[in-house]
Amino acid sequence: MTDDSIEFQPLPDNIQAEVPVRQSFRVPVSDADKVAAILCGRTYAVADISTSGIAVHADSCLDFVAEQVIEDAELLLGTSRLGGLTGKVVHCSVHDNGNLKFGITWIHLPSQTKETLDAVIGEIKARALRQDDRQHGRHTTEKT
């Protein structure tokens, strides 16, 4: 090492991470799941979903702004439609291919809507696991 090198200093034990910790895991959504969101009058493909929020694909960084509150949002879940939702834009990430993904967390989600989301997310998880099993040659045995 030279004299110009930087020495690492230990962090105090009481420092907390500045990165937000997710309270629930978002489940990836495939095209076959037919999940979309209508936000600000425009339809977006949902990339992943949880009972606490969604991530959507967008073409432009101008579609949303940080901390934007989106009222009267709708989720299209196959043949079901959940309306009157309120969300808040919490992050934006840019992928290598230039695609944007915005994270939106739900605000004041009614318990009945949360139960509906839980059921739909359970179905999406089950389909994803069955697909993964087929791709990796695993067979599942269902009890009847």
Side-chain angles (χ1 to χ4, degrees):
M1 280 205 212
T2 68
D3 291 320
D4 294 334
S5 68
I6 297 173
E7 293 184 26
F8 291 101
Q9 299 294 319
L11 293 173
D13 291 335
N14 61 353
I15 284 191
Q16 295 180 358
E18 292 182 22
V19 176
V21 177
R22 289 195 182 181
Q23 299 300 316
S24 62
F25 179 75
R26 289 191 178 154
V27 177
V29 174
S30 73
D31 291 339
D33 293 318
K34 297 180 183 167
V35 178
I38 300 175
L39 309 168
C40 304
R42 187 165 170 212
T43 303
Y44 294 88
V46 173
D48 50 61
I49 188 170
S50 75
T51 54
S52 63
I54 58 174
V56 296
H57 296 291
D59 297 326
S60 170
C61 63
L62 301 175
D63 284 7
F64 304 103
V65 295
E67 304 296 313
Q68 177 181 349
V69 174
I70 301 168
E71 295 180 344
D72 204 28
E74 292 184 70
L75 271 180
L76 308 176
L77 307 162
T79 58
S80 300
R81 186 180 206 123
L82 295 176
L85 305 173
T86 302
K88 181 177 180 180
V89 178
V90 291
H91 75 81
C92 176
S93 56
V94 181
H95 296 274
D96 292 338
N97 61 6
N99 289 341
L100 299 169
K101 189 160 113 174
F102 285 91
I104 298 165
T105 190
W106 301 126
I107 301 172
H108 311 298
L109 193 65
S111 59
Q112 186 174 2
T113 302
K114 187 173 181 177
E115 289 172 13
T116 301
L117 277 176
D118 273 333
V120 170
I121 291 167
E123 292 170 12
I124 292 171
K125 281 182 188 178
R127 274 194 299 275
L129 291 173
R130 282 193 304 270
Q131 182 65 30
D132 185 58
D133 284 345
R134 279 187 230 121
Q135 288 176 346
H136 291 94
R138 296 185 292 254
H139 298 284
T140 57
T141 305
E142 293 183 22
K143 293 182 179 180
T144 56

